[in-house]
Amino acid sequence: MTEAVIETRGLTRYFGVKCAVDGLNLAVPRGCVFGFLGRNGSGKTTTIRMLLGLLDPTRGSCRVLGHDSANLPPGVRARIGYLAEGHHVYGWMRVAECGWFQSRFFDRWNHEVFNSVIDYFRLNPRAKAGSLSRGERAGLCLALTLAPEPELLILDDPALGLDPVARRGLLEAMVHVTRRTDRTILFSSHLLSDVERVADRIAVIDSGRLRACCGLEYFRERVRRLVLRFPGRPPELPAIAGLLESIRSEREIAVTIVGEKGKADEELARVGAERIEQVPIDLEEAFISYVGKRDRVSILLAGSGAA
């Protein structure tokens, strides 16, 4: 078993009568890029705030780098880099002053890393932070987060609101600087194309509940799309195990199913299609199908070496 740098047990948080996170059991192994996926309002940010000790759980527990999140020592916090959504900066400071100010809080501060990220985003060190574009602010915040060389990097929707060029730059800079095998990234996002580009493991949270925790390739293999072609009007489909979605056209039915090949494929083979073809499906399509029908998604994907 790979050492878990983040581990939660029954993590739950209520806001009044609303349950934002519901009994979350999660383990993030060391050295991976871990995509934390969910729609807006699914509980991602609430979970991250509890991991960092910024919000108390209603019940359950979470440990980060071997320590209870409710009592993270200053030395442990210094090993965690946190990039919050929104990219907040002190607008009255210049770019270089932001770096100098932040460095006062860390015993280990790598000026070379800070300057390399600033250069990557072509930021003028004398520019006022408040005058930067949204993408430039994201680059500055990333430089401030990476310069202490954190052992664990937690990113909460870092590319939210950025244009495609800024998003690509943010991801490439993040992965380049944190490519050492002893570093771990927890990467929260609902932009699936970004996650697909950099993550090797994922967790899917929906309405506060964990719906999947597995390798990215495993998830892709288990959520499949099949097209059934008929000589005439397609018949009604019977109840099929693992069916997430079905789309009917004049002579075809496209179905998305979850789970290993087996019973569902046998049931589909008996509906009278003259041809059944598996078609490619990307992570975004698979994710939408998996969480789109909440009353029908009951299969928890937790395989492929999940910690």
Side-chain angles (χ1 to χ4, degrees):
M1 290 284 287
T2 303
E3 175 193 1
V5 297
I6 294 175
E7 194 169 14
T8 71
R9 290 287 179 267
L11 190 64
T12 302
R13 174 69 196 199
Y14 277 84
F15 293 99
V17 298
K18 177 178 173 55
C19 185
V21 178
D22 188 2
L24 185 66
N25 295 315
L26 186 67
V28 178
R30 181 178 297 278
C32 73
V33 179
F34 194 95
F36 193 37
L37 313 183
R39 308 189 214 186
N40 289 334
S42 62
K44 303 189 303 298
T45 296
T46 299
T47 299
I48 286 174
R49 289 176 58 81
M50 288 191 286
L51 292 176
L52 294 169
L54 303 175
L55 185 66
D56 293 330
T58 303
R59 58 176 176 267
S61 64
C62 45
R63 296 180 66 82
V64 175
L65 297 174
H67 295 265
D68 191 323
S69 292
N71 297 288
L72 291 177
V76 173
R77 290 190 179 277
R79 296 158 58 193
I80 303 170
Y82 173 45
L83 182 57
E85 62 180 342
H87 310 120
H88 304 292
V89 294
Y90 293 111
W92 52 270
M93 284 188 179
R94 301 187 187 277
V95 169
E97 290 173 335
C98 289
W100 177 87
F101 177 76
Q102 188 90 332
S103 69
R104 303 300 95 186
F105 297 95
F106 294 92
D107 293 331
R108 187 173 71 176
W109 179 271
N110 192 324
H111 291 281
E112 185 176 329
V113 169
F114 178 80
N115 291 329
S116 68
V117 178
I118 293 301
D119 290 342
Y120 184 91
F121 283 89
R122 301 178 181 177
L123 301 182
N124 181 352
R126 295 190 55 78
K128 288 286 188 71
S131 69
L132 301 178
S133 69
R134 185 174 290 182
E136 290 171 334
R137 285 203 315 273
L140 173 58
C141 289
L142 185 64
L144 295 171
T145 304
L146 295 179
E149 298 190 305
E151 182 180 335
L152 170 63
L153 184 61
I154 297 179
L155 310 174
D156 188 5
D157 252 343
L160 185 65
L162 302 186
D163 63 63
V165 175
R167 281 168 48 197
R168 174 68 66 90
L170 185 73
L171 293 174
E172 289 179 350
M174 174 190 78
V175 173
H176 176 75
V177 177
T178 57
R179 59 188 174 184
R180 279 170 38 183
T181 57
D182 62 336
R183 295 198 177 157
T184 307
I185 301 174
L186 174 69
F187 176 40
S188 161
S189 182
H190 63 278
L191 300 171
L192 282 301
S193 59
D194 292 347
V195 175
E196 194 165 22
R197 188 176 298 128
V198 299
D200 46 44
R201 302 188 62 79
I202 63 169
V204 176
I205 185 172
D206 185 36
S207 297
R209 294 185 178 183
L210 186 68
R211 296 298 191 186
C213 183
C214 56
L216 178 59
E217 289 304 320
Y218 182 88
F219 185 83
R220 283 185 180 134
E221 291 170 1
R222 292 307 185 271
V223 181
R224 298 176 291 135
R225 178 164 294 165
L226 304 173
V227 177
L228 289 69
R229 295 187 169 88
F230 299 86
R233 182 179 177 82
E236 293 295 325
L237 289 178
I240 295 174
L243 178 65
L244 299 176
E245 181 181 56
S246 65
I247 302 174
R248 181 184 302 271
S249 61
E250 187 176 349
R251 294 178 181 269
E252 296 180 350
I253 302 177
V255 298
T256 306
I257 57 177
V258 60
E260 297 183 5
K261 292 183 179 180
K263 185 177 180 181
D265 297 79
E266 294 173 2
E267 293 170 341
L268 289 171
R270 292 196 290 265
V271 301
E274 60 181 5
R275 191 164 81 254
I276 300 177
E277 177 185 357
Q278 182 167 331
V279 297
I281 181 171
D282 62 21
L283 178 62
E284 182 169 351
E285 293 174 310
F287 171 81
I288 291 171
S289 296
Y290 192 67
V291 302
K293 304 285 187 181
R294 296 185 180 180
D295 57 329
R296 301 172 71 175
V297 176
S298 58
I299 298 174
L300 171 65
L301 292 178
S304 186

